[in-house]
Amino acid sequence: MNDNLIPSASAANRPPIGADTVLVAMSGGVDSSVAAWLLTNQGYDCVGVTMKLYDSEPEPAPQPGAKPRLCRNNSCCSLADIEIARSVSGQIGIPYYVFNFKADFEAAVIRPFIQAYDQGLTPNPCIECNRRIKFEPFMQKARELDCQYVATGHYVRREQGADGQVYLRKGLDPGKDQSYVLYMLTQAQLGHILFPLGSLNKAQVRGLAREAGLLNATKHDSQDICFVPDGDYVAFLERCKGHKLEAGQFVDQQGRSLGPSQGQQAYTIGQRKGLGIAVGSPLYVLKKDSQKNQVVLGPSEALFTRRCLAGGLNQISGNWRTRPQRLLARPRYHAAEAPCQVEPLGPDQVAVIFDEPQRALTPGQAIVFYQDDYMLGGGTILPEPPDKTAE
Amino acid sequence: MIPEAGRGGGTPGSQTAAAEAEAVPPREVYADFAAGTPLLPGARQALLTWLDALPGNPSSVHRRGRLARRGLNEARREVASCLGAGAAEIYFTSGGTEALNWAARALAANGRQRHRPLILCSAVEHQALRRPLEALADAGACRLQILAADRNGCLDLAAARPWLDDPATGAVCLMLVNNETGVIQPAGRLAALCHERGILFLGDAMQAAGKLPLDLRQLEADYLVLGAHKFGGPVGTGVLYARQGAPLPPLLYGGPQEASRRAGTENVAFAAALAAALRTRTDELAATEARLSLLDQRFCQGLRQLAGCQVLVPRQLRLPGYISVLMPRFDAETWLILLDRAGIEASAGSACAAGALEASPVYLAMGLPAAQARHILRFSFGWTTTPEDIDYCLQVIGRELAKADPEKDER
């Protein structure tokens, strides 16, 4: 009697596990939802999955303020988003599961995030998450479940080369291209990842979501770091540590004290506002010294450098790790690519010399190399060696 | 937009697996009776009869009001008769969680010393009891002492004794059967020990009702909790038994329903369905147990043939049909999906609000390391299970284990 109410779940109707099964990472956002819908329409046997990365839901506590919460709502792991992903999977007609990756996320992303700030770096946790969680161990799960592919809603194009290599090209929507955050993918992984949105722009994706009647067609995009959705990473660091940051010093380029700082973690290279220092000319954060807990301030001009070092390298294509060459480099997510010379210095280090001085090259941020619209891989900007000042 | 190359390029290993998959004809097997059971025909009949008979408010004076009240009273008497209780001792609730919350409040409000009684509760109680007790303790209404379980998840009576002799102890809580392992707890002996000392005893019979003989003339419980969906009734209705004279402060204030202790128009249809289901399961108890014992044996014997599968609790300690298995190779999260995709609905540990699996506190209380607890699957079978269902489960598990180790693939 309820055949009409409940979608058929008969085992006989289910496609066999094995052939072209895709594990789709679904956040509850419109991009990954459309990715799942497109792949399903193309005949893939999709399984929707949300990775539960951390607890964001405050439980109603009998006693107020019993335990500080690490995270707030409205990010990809909130209950509301998981319910959206679940409902969208139901609309598409694919099974849906939640993976518990909380322990992995804590160890591989949150702890290193805190550590990096303590070391005077400005980390990129989304990239660390892609490296350590989103593709591994997610792809390990996919292998266990006999899924040939995993898929995500990233705006990037995957191209199978005649040479057997997989190439990654920027997403066609210049405003949405996400190749930068995928520089760590390996050839072995790329052989098993699908990016169905790479050739679409955001408007088209929303159009498809509306066409498919997906309930999150008009949901706004997520911003900020998912586990710090209010953007206040200093408050997050303090919640994690259980105490305030240790106060430090602002100094000028000669090392003379300019006054007390909130602690070096609280500042970002290039920052001008919110320093609380009043001097005649505007001052910018030039450098951070975690050992002395000092933040070096100076004029805007001093922020511009031509050279930086990069380590933690991953090469998707090309041979820039072994042969000096001219490429384009993007030293931060939303920066324009700039022409540069890439010089290998060792097995896991390159020097990048830009044609034009770049503003605020920030240790801890990813630097990603391009040739035309091919993304070739990248690495992490290293702190300058202490004995040497940048050009 | 998907490159043609790489499509359909399964490894030889996975093709073999696909061939094997076809060798076992697909089947749907429900193996999650501990979570919820199929509605029994008698319960369904009672439900529909009373839903169609509405409007019928048992408080109304007119004919249909009288009819509804009669239905409610009959349901109450039926439940009482199944349990060896008096009809006035049966309170209908919206389910087990409500009944456990209500009983927890009753225990906190009434200790022997009247003020912040010490309440003892086993380490393997369901969160529907554990959480309200913790909340009451946090609010200063009682103190809470957790009683240890042994490695089989069974309450350690010897370790509990000193606590029973503590004059501050006002109440003790213990489930009759554990929901994850099916372990039968020493509830009868513990209840007797409490009775001797004037300590209130709350028995959580969620997993026991309709599966274990229950007779409140023998079992010296002051409170007992039942939930219909565990024995073939609908979800959303349960029973709190409170012995005549046991303290029971009102849960909901309002009208005079449920002896003015739980106000609100009574749900006659659900109460009738609950009673019908409990009657059926109680009458068929011995026959079902005999059948499930054979199925249990068949499953455990089959598991023994599969390398690495380990039944967690020996049969003599648990109800037949509740089988927790330590699984090799994959964690429970992966196994559940593999089984689900093959049409087998089993369970594992407890899920958080989002649906992500967490290591079960029950397995942790049994002393299993968290890494092992994440590898435990719970199969719970019931009266609709057939030997073919059991064999299919074994075949699917065997098929997954026979596949090439994905760890060794590529990379």
Side-chain angles (χ1 to χ4, degrees), chain A residues 104-338:
Chain A
D104 303 84
F105 190 73
E106 165 98 23
V109 180
I110 295 188
R111 291 297 148 199
F113 174 81
I114 298 167
Q115 225 167 38
Y117 269 111
D118 287 347
Q119 292 166 354
L121 306 172
T122 303
N124 217 321
C126 302
I127 284 179
E128 223 37 48
C129 181
N130 282 341
R131 189 201 315 273
R132 305 282 303 276
I133 307 282
K134 287 257 168 77
F135 295 96
E136 291 295 344
F138 186 61
M139 295 189 76
Q140 172 62 27
K141 281 281 185 192
R143 283 191 290 274
E144 291 179 2
L145 294 169
D146 299 323
C147 297
Q148 276 77 1
Y149 297 104
V150 302
T152 71
H154 284 109
Y155 288 81
V156 66
R157 287 172 296 159
R158 173 190 187 273
E159 193 176 89
Q160 186 75 50
D163 54 359
Q165 298 270 349
V166 178
Y167 294 87
L168 275 189
R169 303 176 74 174
K170 296 198 305 193
L172 274 188
D173 183 339
K176 292 303 294 182
D177 164 48
Q178 287 170 310
S179 55
Y180 175 85
V181 295
L182 298 173
Y183 81 82
M184 79 300 301
L185 292 175
T186 63
Q187 282 293 330
Q189 292 173 328
L190 284 167
H192 295 272
I193 307 176
L194 303 176
F195 297 111
L197 303 190
S199 304
L200 302 174
N201 64 39
K202 186 77 189 192
Q204 289 171 311
V205 167
R206 286 210 186 275
L208 287 172
R210 273 194 301 274
E211 184 193 317
L214 302 184
L215 59 91
N216 58 355
T218 58
K219 186 170 184 282
H220 60 77
D221 289 356
S222 59
Q223 299 288 340
D224 292 327
I225 299 165
C226 71
F227 54 93
V228 193
D230 58 2
D232 188 351
Y233 76 90
V234 175
F236 175 82
L237 292 176
E238 290 180 339
R239 281 201 298 278
C240 292
K241 290 165 178 284
H243 57 77
K244 290 249 166 219
L245 296 179
E246 281 165 42
Q249 287 287 316
F250 289 118
V251 297
D252 66 14
Q253 285 168 285
Q254 285 70 44
R256 286 174 303 218
S257 173
L258 295 173
S261 87
Q262 211 186 322
Q264 59 83 14
Q265 295 95 328
Y267 306 93
T268 310
I269 310 284
Q271 179 180 349
R272 180 167 77 96
K273 288 182 179 153
L275 300 179
I277 295 280
V279 191
S281 55
L283 289 180
Y284 295 81
V285 175
L286 302 181
K287 232 169 89 174
K288 308 204 291 178
D289 183 332
S290 60
Q291 311 235 291
K292 296 184 191 156
N293 195 356
Q294 283 182 345
V295 177
V296 182
L297 304 182
S300 175
E301 310 86 76
L303 271 176
F304 287 82
T305 47
R306 281 188 57 205
R307 184 174 187 277
C308 71
L309 299 179
L313 305 176
N314 179 56
Q315 179 177 289
I316 292 175
S317 54
N319 54 0
W320 50 270
R321 282 185 71 161
T322 45
R323 269 193 33 209
Q325 54 199 278
R326 288 193 54 76
L327 294 173
L328 298 168
R330 199 190 274 185
R332 64 179 68 227
Y333 196 174
H334 295 295
E337 290 122 48

Side-chain angles (χ1 to χ4, degrees), chain B residues 58-410:
Chain B
S59 299
S60 298
V61 173
H62 50 61
R63 185 183 62 82
R64 270 199 286 196
R66 289 195 300 279
L67 185 69
R69 178 170 295 244
R70 206 182 77 202
L72 185 68
N73 288 343
E74 275 171 12
R76 205 186 300 279
R77 278 199 299 275
E78 185 78 294
V79 171
S81 116
C82 290
L83 299 175
E89 297 173 313
I90 302 298
Y91 297 85
F92 287 111
T93 69
S94 69
T97 294
E98 181 191 314
L100 288 167
N101 271 261
W102 192 2
R105 288 187 206 182
L107 299 181
N110 293 277
R112 277 185 298 177
Q113 298 188 338
R114 290 267 156 194
H115 180 63
R116 289 192 74 215
L118 179 62
I119 298 180
L120 313 180
C121 136
S122 90
V124 294
E125 292 309 301
H126 194 276
Q127 57 183 348
L129 178 59
R130 179 83 174 249
R131 297 286 294 128
L133 286 174
E134 283 170 353
L136 287 162
D138 285 349
C142 66
R143 286 178 301 134
L144 189 58
Q145 174 61 42
I146 305 300
L147 300 178
D150 64 17
R151 63 189 182 85
N152 288 312
C154 200
L155 177 82
D156 188 341
L157 262 185
R161 273 192 184 258
W163 291 106
L164 296 175
D165 293 330
D166 186 329
T169 299
V172 176
C173 310
L174 183 62
M175 50 184 22
L176 277 62
V177 171
N178 183 263
N179 55 305
E180 304 213 18
T181 57
V183 161
I184 301 170
Q185 301 287 352
R189 274 185 292 158
L190 186 61
L193 292 172
C194 290
H195 196 74
E196 286 166 14
R197 291 162 173 78
I199 299 170
L200 293 172
F201 180 83
L202 162 60
D204 173 357
M206 286 298 287
Q207 299 292 339
K211 298 167 195 168
L212 203 64
L214 287 180
D215 186 349
L216 286 158
R217 287 160 300 200
Q218 311 287 324
L219 177 66
E220 293 170 284
D222 298 287
Y223 307 91
L224 200 73
V225 168
L226 281 68
H229 67 290
K230 308 293 191 190
F231 51 79
V235 178
T237 179
V239 160
L240 173 61
Y241 157 87
R243 186 177 291 280
Q244 195 75 51
L248 190 65
L251 177 69
L252 300 173
Y253 294 91
Q257 294 88 354
E258 301 296 302
S260 297
R261 288 187 166 107
R262 186 189 187 273
T265 301
E266 302 93 333
N267 195 339
V268 181
F270 273 45
L274 180 151
L278 186 61
R279 169 51 65 201
T280 305
R281 297 288 12 118
T282 304
D283 290 349
E284 293 178 7
L285 197 146
T288 308
E289 172 158 2
R291 247 177 54 77
L292 280 174
S293 292
L294 290 175
L295 294 174
D296 192 302
Q297 202 178 16
R298 190 183 187 101
F299 191 53
C300 291
Q301 271 172 2
L303 286 172
R304 250 173 258 133
Q305 311 302 315
L306 299 170
C309 296
Q310 186 191 330
V311 175
L312 211 60
V313 180
R315 165 70 185 89
Q316 64 273 19
L317 296 178
R318 54 175 174 81
L319 278 185
Y322 285 69
I323 303 152
S324 290
V325 189
L326 185 57
M327 299 295 292
R329 191 87 173 268
F330 310 125
D331 61 12
E333 194 175 79
T334 296
W335 272 113
L336 278 189
I337 298 172
L338 288 171
L339 293 175
D340 186 26
R341 302 273 289 159
I344 299 168
E345 292 165 323
S347 162
S350 48
C352 74
L357 287 181
E358 314 267 3
S360 155
V362 172
Y363 301 135
L364 299 178
M366 289 163 65
L368 288 173
Q372 252 183 41
R374 279 196 296 274
H375 280 255
I376 298 170
L377 283 185
R378 178 190 68 189
F379 295 86
S380 50
F381 300 110
W383 59 87
T384 61
T385 309
T386 64
E388 291 73 27
D389 291 341
I390 301 287
D391 293 348
Y392 181 67
C393 290
L394 292 167
Q395 281 164 349
V396 169
I397 297 169
R399 185 181 79 198
E400 296 302 333
L401 286 176
K403 276 184 199 157
D405 190 337
E407 293 267 343
K408 291 178 192 153
D409 291 359
E410 50 196 273

Side-chain angles (χ1 to χ4, degrees), chain B residues 42-58:
Chain B
R44 183 170 182 275
Q45 189 53 54
L47 192 62
L48 295 180
T49 302
W50 285 104
L51 284 176
D52 288 340
L54 292 179
N57 184 329

Side-chain angles (χ1 to χ4, degrees), chain A residues 58-92:
Chain A
E59 257 187 72
Q63 282 179 320
K67 188 177 156 201
R69 306 301 305 186
L70 282 186
C71 307
R72 309 262 176 86
N73 283 336
N74 300 324
S75 52
C76 75
C77 288
S78 79
L79 264 191
D81 284 340
I82 284 180
E83 285 315 324
I84 289 172
R86 203 188 299 277
S87 302
V88 167
S89 301
Q91 284 187 299
I92 301 171

